[in-house]
Amino acid sequence: MPSHPVPCEALTGDPAWLVWVFRETVWLSLAFSLPLAAVVTAVFVWRTGLSAKGAAALGLGVGLVLTVATVSYSIAAATCGYNLEQVHP
């Protein structure tokens, strides 16, 4: 996580924060899309008789498309949350 805060509106304008958001969303996207891609591969090998290489290529394509779509959406729709704390004098 970058060491300096930025306003929410400038989150994707700062290179350090943009890289951090990209890295976090890539890992989350891969965690979501890789199991789905493995299931697609298994189903295509089992149901269609497609070769293992062809089904793996299809599963990899599905996984990559899902990853690119979720990463792009996550960065484009990035939002910030605020924590409000009461400070006692």
Side-chain angles (χ1 to χ4, degrees):
M1 181 175 234
S3 60
H4 59 283
V6 295
C8 286
E9 297 79 27
L11 186 65
T12 56
D14 182 17
W17 278 98
L18 184 61
V19 168
W20 184 78
V21 168
F22 179 75
R23 185 193 66 160
E24 292 298 311
T25 55
V26 164
W27 285 114
L28 291 172
S29 296
L30 287 175
F32 166 74
S33 66
L34 286 180
L36 188 58
V39 168
V40 167
T41 301
V43 167
F44 271 93
V45 167
W46 176 52
R47 285 294 203 182
T48 65
L50 197 63
S51 71
K53 285 183 180 179
L58 182 65
L60 181 63
V62 168
L64 288 176
V65 167
L66 286 172
T67 300
V68 168
T70 55
V71 167
S72 301
Y73 176 75
S74 296
I75 290 176
T79 58
C80 295
Y82 293 99
N83 291 330
L84 298 176
E85 297 179 21
Q86 185 175 3
V87 178
H88 297 287

